[in-house]
Amino acid sequence: MRLHRLDITAFGPFGGTQSVDFDDLSAAGLFLLHGPTGAGKTSVLDAVCYALYGTVPGARQSGQGLTLRSDHADPATRTEVRLELTVAGRRLEITRQPPWERPKKRGSGTTLDKAQTWLREYDATAGAWQDLSRSHQEIGEEVTQLLGMSREQFCQVVLLPQGDFARFLRADAGARGQLLGRLFDTRRFADVEKRLAERRKATEARVRDGDSALLADAHRMQQEAGDAMELPELEPGEPGLAEAVLAAAAVARSTVREHLTVAHCRLTAAESAQFAADRALTEVRELARLQGRFAEARQRAVRLEERAGAHHEAQARMERARKAEAVAPALELREAAEAGHRRAAAAEARARALLPETFAGAGAAGLATAARRAAEELGGLESARRAERRLTEVVEERGRLDRQERDDEDVLREAEGWLADWDTRRAELQSRIDSAQQAATRAEQLAVQRDPARRRLEAARLRDELGRDTDEAQRAALASAQRAADARTHWLDLKEQRLTGIAAELAAHLVDGEPCAVCGATEHPVPARKFAGHVDAEAERRAEAAYQRADEQRAEGERRLGVVREALAAASAEAGDTPTARLASETSELEQEYARARRAASALHPAHEELRLAEQERERRLADRQQAEIRAASRLTRRDTLDTEQTALEEELAKARGSAGSVAARAAQLERQVAQLTDAADTARVAEDTAQHLKDADARLADAAYRAGFDTPQAAAAALLDDTAHRELQRRLDERQSEEAAVRSVLAEAETAAAAQQPPADLGAAERTAAAAAQRLRDAASARDRAARCCGELDRLSARATAGVRQLAPLREEYDRVARLAFLTAGTSAENERKMRLESYVLAARLEQVAAAATVRLQRMSSGRYTLVHSDDRTGRGRSGLGLHVVDAWTGRERDTATLSGGETFFASLALALGLADVVTDEAGGVRLDTLFIDEGFGSLDDQTLDEVLDVLDSLRERDRSVGIVSHVADLRRRIHAQLEVVKGRSGSALRQRGV
């Protein structure tokens, strides 16, 4: 890598544009970058790093973005860094512009412009620069790939920073390991340690889970076997646990099988005893049943003998009831005649109670005659009824005429009052019509202004929304660009891996006797073999296709971003710079005024309609007043006619109704009298007939009782039984007969009589004996079932435990192997005597290389006195691997680097930095570094040592390499002719090249 030109604008302390021609400075091989403290010497190096990586080095990384801008710069000047360099045979130009808060082009205030980056390549054939990319991500990846190192490595190898290597020289193993880890990217070895530790924990957890499951089965077996099994006192993961559990399970199974055999024998004996007890219980129950049956039959016979008298009385009662059944029809006939006579007498009494006292002693014939006379009088009142109805109609019509007169008077009065206000109301309505017409004209004027205001407001809202969409589209474009860069890196990595193993891929097509496509040889003694993880052409094509898809998505994201930005510009042109809230307020006021005008104009039609209806109402009221006057004249004639007819009818009715209040009342009085007299005559005739029927029934009943053998009819009625009493008496007689037959049958049984002669049966003792035998049988069966279940469960759990132990064996072997490797790489294993981690081991090898490379230059700088050596001794109780000592040739002793003086520390640190640069360069793939910078530290050297250090630095030119020294030491200005001076001023710093 060789730097050609650096242009800085408004960056750091540089307010204007400053340029550095590195080609002129590098021609001398060694050049000096000097200036007063704070002038901006380090800012030149920051600009180089920023141009390459987009960030500044070391502790100045916090100064990103807006803080990189010079405070001395003009507000209209944008910060920019442009670097022209050659790397990997390609001449490139990188331009970076950090975010810039510039003044707005319209209005006051500032706006933020995003960061910009350009990458161009010089085409020697065309003699012009060709654009390569404007993506931050792509340019950063391209630079990192070409240089072969990260920003941290670049800052340590190319820009040797102030004091960093002095601290590195004196640092402890931990701090030294952190720096070396960043430079050599040993994260993969740390990842190996972490991966092994994770695998160890995972396999250990799985082994513990397996042992826990085995112990759980063991606990369940102990619950089943009880005292027959003892658990081993081991924890999950301890050796020998599986064997101890399986041995204890075998002993428990043997003991439980013995218990099962004993339980079988006990069950057989209990079954025999229970059978004998059940048979004895059955015999005792049968004897007790027969003895009880005989005793019960004797008791029933005694009870029958005691109730013999009541049985004879029931038989006599049944015989009298049979004789009384012949008299029953006559009794029923007499009771029916008596009931009919009582009903007729009661009806006659009720009818006579309604008649006047003058008819109290009249018979049925007298009552009928009085009813005929009242009916004849009622027929003579029909003409008076018609006159009375006509009088009612005349009175009603006269009332209607009076109501019509009152209604017409109201109509006339209301019409006169309404017509009196007509002129005032008509003027008011005409005024409303005029006001509404003016509001309609105003609404039409406002309607013309609404659409432009609405369009401008919508454009402002679209402008705000597109502003947000632009940010989202930009973030999406950046994300797609990142994905495209990742895919490209992955593709290039695979391509590089394939090229690395292309020999094995070509060797796969070699055939003995046929020439090789590369060297042409026909013999292939040792063809290359594919290594693990070999990348074939198909994998490379898939990675390339993935990169192409990601690149298409990136282009699509940029296209969308351009579309959104164009739409934003159009919306901004339509809406202007007026805030959306203000446009919304103005549009809202216009809409409100338009709505008020529309509401006022909407009253125009209702006002016209109301005027039309008022005029119609005036015509209607004039017509109503005229009709009311006509009806009043016709009512006078009709009222005189009705008055004459009413007088004549009243005279006729006064004669017809007599003392009654009306003809209708007199007619109703006569109708009630006719009905009462007729009813009383009818009930009197019925009462006389029923009395005669009762006398005839008494005579027939006396004759029937005498023939049936009863002295009086009352005796026959007393002997008669109703249906319920008859059935009950017959049932008692039948039950008595059945009971006597049953008792005689039981007493005649020979088996029952023989049982009665034996001693009483002891049923309780037999049942207790049988219950005890059944309980012993159940206990024996339960014991046998428990033993069988326990035996089966132990067999099942033992089989599962055995299977689990077999399955766990490979996992336990894997755990032993992984744990050994994990402890070994972590430095905690007893086999790792120096307690050195894997990453520390790799870094120790790198540090050993760095010490060897640094010693070559350190011996020249110290006149052969000092040599840097790597030490892997342990410090205290810590781990070993990253120690760094210096060997003093004058004393022959090895001592710590912290014992060096200030000047010795500087040139030792410088030698270490140069050695580290050589090793990192080789590690990065041999990228040539033609330009180096060393920042400060020369002031601590004496003249002789300074000459020796400068000779070493001057020797770096042997392969056309240039070294820039950053220092403010005055003596260096005399020794180094090519100089880049940083001049400090009130308006900012400036750069001057001298001696070139």
Side-chain angles (χ1 to χ4, degrees):
M1 179 198 74
R2 176 176 292 277
L3 304 182
H4 298 292
R5 183 179 180 84
L6 175 67
D7 295 322
I8 305 173
T9 302
F11 183 88
F14 306 103
T17 299
Q18 304 294 325
S19 299
V20 180
D21 190 344
F22 285 107
D23 287 338
D24 290 343
L25 290 173
S26 300
L30 191 65
F31 64 90
L32 176 65
L33 175 60
H34 68 93
T37 302
K41 301 185 295 297
T42 306
S43 296
V44 176
L45 307 184
D46 289 347
V48 172
C49 185
Y50 180 74
L52 291 173
Y53 294 98
T55 58
V56 294
R60 298 181 297 281
Q61 291 186 42
S62 60
Q64 298 296 311
L66 297 174
T67 57
L68 293 178
R69 178 172 176 80
S70 174
D71 294 333
H72 302 286
D74 185 86
T77 302
R78 178 154 190 174
T79 302
E80 181 180 279
V81 177
R82 179 181 293 110
L83 177 66
E84 186 178 338
L85 74 159
T86 297
V87 58
R90 300 169 61 185
R91 183 136 182 178
L92 303 175
E93 181 189 79
I94 305 173
T95 304
R96 291 188 186 269
Q97 295 178 347
W100 180 34
E101 190 173 359
R102 62 169 177 82
K104 289 185 177 179
K105 295 180 180 179
R106 297 181 181 178
S108 60
T110 60
T111 183
L112 182 66
D113 284 350
K114 304 296 184 180
Q116 302 284 338
T117 306
W118 294 270
L119 176 63
R120 300 196 302 171
E121 183 175 4
Y122 184 75
D123 188 351
T125 303
W129 291 96
Q130 302 292 331
D131 291 335
L132 295 183
S133 176
R134 296 190 61 177
S135 170
H136 302 292
Q137 187 70 24
E138 288 183 358
I139 295 173
E141 292 176 356
E142 185 73 16
V143 170
T144 302
Q145 183 176 3
L146 290 174
L147 293 179
M149 63 185 74
S150 64
R151 181 185 62 81
E152 290 80 1
Q153 292 174 320
F154 179 83
C155 294
Q156 295 290 347
V157 174
V158 180
L159 309 180
L160 305 183
Q162 297 178 359
D164 279 4
F165 277 93
R167 287 192 297 271
F168 176 76
L169 188 66
R170 296 190 179 99
D172 57 11
R176 193 173 292 138
Q178 292 179 0
L179 175 61
L180 292 175
R182 291 196 303 270
L183 291 177
F184 294 104
D185 192 16
T186 57
R187 289 175 297 177
R188 59 186 183 278
F189 300 102
D191 291 341
V192 170
E193 296 178 20
K194 182 179 178 181
R195 176 59 179 164
L196 287 173
E198 291 175 351
R199 286 192 59 188
R200 179 189 64 78
K201 292 179 181 179
T203 52
E204 181 181 8
R206 292 168 62 190
V207 169
R208 287 182 177 275
D209 292 342
D211 286 348
S212 298
L214 182 63
L215 278 178
D217 289 339
H219 281 292
R220 293 188 60 185
M221 287 189 283
Q222 185 186 37
Q223 291 176 356
E224 292 292 339
D227 297 336
M229 181 176 179
E230 294 183 1
L231 290 179
E233 297 180 356
L234 296 174
E235 296 296 329
E238 294 186 14
L241 176 64
E243 293 77 6
V245 170
L246 294 180
V251 173
R253 290 197 305 274
S254 176
T255 303
V256 170
R257 286 193 177 91
E258 293 177 0
H259 293 170
L260 178 61
T261 302
V262 173
H264 271 297
C265 296
R266 290 178 178 174
L267 178 61
T268 303
E271 288 175 347
S272 300
Q274 196 266 343
F275 178 75
D278 287 346
R279 184 173 58 188
L281 177 60
T282 302
E283 294 176 354
V284 171
R285 283 176 176 169
E286 180 62 18
L287 178 61
R289 185 185 70 79
L290 293 176
Q291 289 178 346
R293 178 178 174 82
F294 184 81
E296 182 184 3
R298 293 297 301 271
Q299 292 176 0
R300 290 163 62 188
V302 171
R303 287 196 295 273
L304 289 173
E305 185 65 28
E306 291 175 352
R307 294 195 295 267
H311 176 64
H312 294 316
E313 291 179 0
Q315 287 178 333
R317 181 73 177 87
M318 179 60 74
E319 183 63 24
R320 289 197 301 274
R322 292 194 186 97
K323 292 180 180 180
E325 288 177 357
V327 188
L331 284 171
E332 293 175 357
L333 182 60
R334 198 268 176 189
E335 289 176 356
E338 185 178 8
H341 179 62
R342 284 198 297 271
R343 288 194 296 273
E348 182 184 6
R350 288 193 298 273
R352 287 183 179 274
L354 298 175
L355 296 176
E357 294 182 359
T358 56
F359 299 102
L367 294 174
T369 301
R372 283 195 298 273
R373 286 198 300 268
E376 292 173 355
E377 185 179 356
L378 178 62
L381 293 178
E382 184 62 28
S383 176
R385 286 181 178 179
R386 289 194 296 271
E388 190 173 36
R389 285 194 295 272
R390 176 57 187 163
L391 179 60
T392 302
E393 294 173 356
V394 169
V395 172
E396 291 176 355
E397 186 176 358
R398 179 64 183 274
R400 284 195 299 271
L401 292 176
D402 294 339
R403 287 193 298 274
Q404 288 179 0
E405 183 178 5
R406 289 192 297 271
D407 292 341
D408 288 341
E409 290 176 354
D410 294 339
V411 169
L412 290 172
R413 187 167 51 253
E414 184 178 356
E416 292 294 340
W418 192 90
L419 291 172
D421 298 333
W422 164 245
D423 294 335
T424 302
R425 180 169 179 76
R426 188 176 185 282
E428 179 184 353
L429 291 174
Q430 188 61 44
S431 176
R432 288 170 53 190
I433 291 173
D434 296 339
S435 300
Q437 186 65 47
Q438 294 175 0
T441 303
R442 177 59 179 163
E444 292 176 357
Q445 296 172 353
L446 294 175
V448 177
Q449 304 174 13
R450 290 175 64 216
D451 291 340
R454 286 179 176 175
R455 287 194 299 271
R456 192 177 181 191
L457 176 59
E458 291 174 359
R461 289 173 176 169
L462 181 60
R463 177 194 62 194
D464 297 343
E465 182 178 356
L466 289 175
R468 295 188 294 271
D469 293 345
T470 300
D471 295 338
E472 294 178 0
Q474 189 166 5
R475 287 194 293 272
L478 291 176
S480 61
Q482 177 64 40
R483 289 193 294 272
D486 294 342
R488 186 175 186 274
T489 301
H490 179 62
W491 167 49
L492 294 177
D493 291 343
L494 292 182
K495 186 175 183 179
E496 183 179 356
Q497 293 179 20
R498 186 185 173 215
L499 292 176
T500 302
I502 195 67
E505 187 173 338
L506 294 173
H509 301 286
L510 294 177
V511 179
D512 291 336
E514 295 183 3
C516 174
V518 179
C519 64
T522 57
E523 295 182 358
H524 319 294
V526 187
R529 303 294 182 185
K530 293 183 178 180
F531 56 87
H534 175 73
V535 177
D536 55 9
E538 179 61 27
E540 182 185 352
R541 282 194 294 273
R542 287 196 300 270
E544 184 179 7
Y547 164 65
Q548 291 175 353
R549 289 193 299 271
D551 192 59
E552 291 174 358
Q553 293 176 359
R554 177 195 59 76
E556 177 63 20
E558 293 179 353
R559 185 193 65 78
R560 291 178 180 174
L561 177 58
V563 171
V564 174
R565 284 176 173 171
E566 291 177 2
L568 176 59
S572 299
E574 175 71 21
D577 294 333
T578 305
T580 304
R582 181 178 175 184
L583 290 176
S585 177
E586 294 175 354
T587 305
S588 176
E589 292 177 359
L590 180 60
E591 291 290 343
Q592 292 176 2
E593 185 177 358
Y594 174 72
R596 288 193 295 270
R598 284 290 305 272
R599 284 195 298 271
S602 63
L604 179 60
H605 177 71
H608 277 297
E609 185 66 19
E610 189 172 356
L611 178 58
R612 184 182 63 82
L613 294 177
E615 291 175 347
Q616 292 179 356
E617 180 68 14
R618 175 175 176 274
E619 296 296 331
R620 185 183 65 80
R621 290 185 181 274
L622 289 174
D624 290 343
R625 184 175 64 180
Q626 183 179 2
Q627 293 295 326
E629 292 174 350
I630 294 173
R631 287 194 299 271
S634 63
R635 276 196 301 272
L636 293 175
T637 304
R638 182 58 180 166
R639 184 182 290 113
D640 293 340
T641 303
L642 292 176
D643 290 343
T644 303
E645 185 178 3
Q646 181 179 359
T647 301
L649 290 173
E650 289 177 350
E651 293 176 354
E652 180 182 356
L653 290 176
K655 297 177 182 179
R657 61 176 173 260
S659 60
S662 63
V663 175
R666 178 57 181 168
Q669 180 181 3
L670 291 175
E671 288 175 354
R672 287 195 300 273
Q673 186 176 359
V674 169
Q676 293 172 355
L677 290 173
T678 302
D679 185 48
D682 293 339
T683 55
R685 284 194 295 271
V686 171
E688 293 175 356
D689 294 339
T690 55
Q692 184 60 43
H693 290 162
L694 180 58
K695 291 181 180 180
D696 295 341
D698 286 338
R700 287 194 294 273
L701 176 58
D703 183 61
Y706 177 75
R707 286 198 298 271
F710 293 99
D711 295 336
T712 61
Q714 290 76 14
L720 191 62
L721 296 174
D722 55 16
D723 292 341
T724 302
H726 186 277
R727 285 194 299 272
E728 177 62 23
L729 184 59
Q730 185 63 45
R731 183 189 62 75
R732 288 164 52 193
L733 295 174
D734 293 341
E735 286 179 354
R736 170 74 182 198
Q737 185 177 0
S738 298
E739 181 69 10
E740 289 177 351
V743 170
R744 286 195 299 271
S745 174
V746 171
L747 293 177
E749 294 175 356
E751 183 179 359
T752 303
Q757 301 300 322
Q758 297 182 11
D762 191 356
L763 183 59
E767 288 178 346
R768 288 191 294 274
T769 302
Q775 183 61 41
R776 286 193 295 273
L777 176 60
R778 286 193 296 272
D779 294 343
S782 298
R784 191 276 312 271
D785 293 341
R786 284 195 302 273
R789 185 174 61 256
C790 181
C791 186
E793 187 68 12
L794 286 178
D795 290 341
R796 184 183 68 81
L797 293 174
S798 297
R800 189 167 72 179
T802 303
V805 170
R806 285 198 299 269
Q807 294 177 359
L808 195 60
L811 181 61
R812 195 182 298 277
E813 293 176 359
E814 178 185 0
Y815 167 69
D816 294 339
R817 182 174 61 256
V818 172
R820 180 173 175 271
L821 289 175
F823 292 141
L824 186 62
T825 57
T828 57
S829 173
E831 298 175 339
N832 193 335
E833 297 179 356
R834 296 189 179 276
K835 304 300 181 183
M836 185 182 297
R837 294 173 48 243
L838 176 61
E839 184 181 14
S840 300
Y841 178 78
V842 175
L843 292 177
R846 293 288 188 267
L847 183 59
E848 190 172 358
Q849 296 174 356
V850 171
T855 296
V856 176
R857 296 183 176 88
L858 179 59
Q859 287 181 345
R860 291 183 59 186
M861 294 179 185
S862 63
S863 301
R865 179 179 180 182
Y866 294 118
T867 301
L868 281 176
V869 294
H870 160 251
S871 174
D872 56 3
D873 294 336
R874 298 176 60 183
T875 57
R877 300 183 60 186
R879 298 180 182 179
S880 60
L882 298 178
L884 194 62
H885 291 169
V886 62
V887 178
D888 190 346
W890 290 4
T891 63
R893 302 187 62 179
E894 180 179 323
R895 56 193 174 96
D896 193 271
T897 55
T899 61
L900 295 174
S901 65
E904 292 172 340
T905 299
F906 168 70
F907 63 68
S909 301
L910 179 59
L912 183 64
L914 295 174
L916 182 63
D918 292 340
V919 176
V920 171
T921 300
D922 295 339
E923 180 72 14
V927 176
R928 180 178 176 83
L929 300 177
D930 297 319
T931 305
L932 297 177
F933 294 91
I934 301 174
D935 192 357
E936 286 295 353
F938 293 89
S940 60
L941 304 179
D942 56 29
D943 292 341
Q944 180 181 356
T945 304
L946 181 60
D947 289 337
E948 293 174 348
V949 170
L950 291 178
D951 289 341
V952 172
L953 295 179
D954 193 57
S955 67
L956 296 177
R957 297 185 299 169
E958 294 174 356
R959 291 183 294 175
D960 196 23
R961 178 183 294 179
S962 62
V963 178
I965 298 176
V966 182
S967 178
H968 50 70
V969 177
D971 192 40
L972 289 176
R973 302 175 198 169
R974 178 180 56 82
R975 297 171 181 264
I976 302 175
H977 300 288
Q979 298 178 10
L980 177 64
E981 181 181 5
V982 184
V983 180
K984 182 168 61 173
R986 297 182 62 86
S987 60
S989 298
L991 296 175
R992 297 176 185 173
Q993 291 187 213
R994 300 177 183 273
V996 295

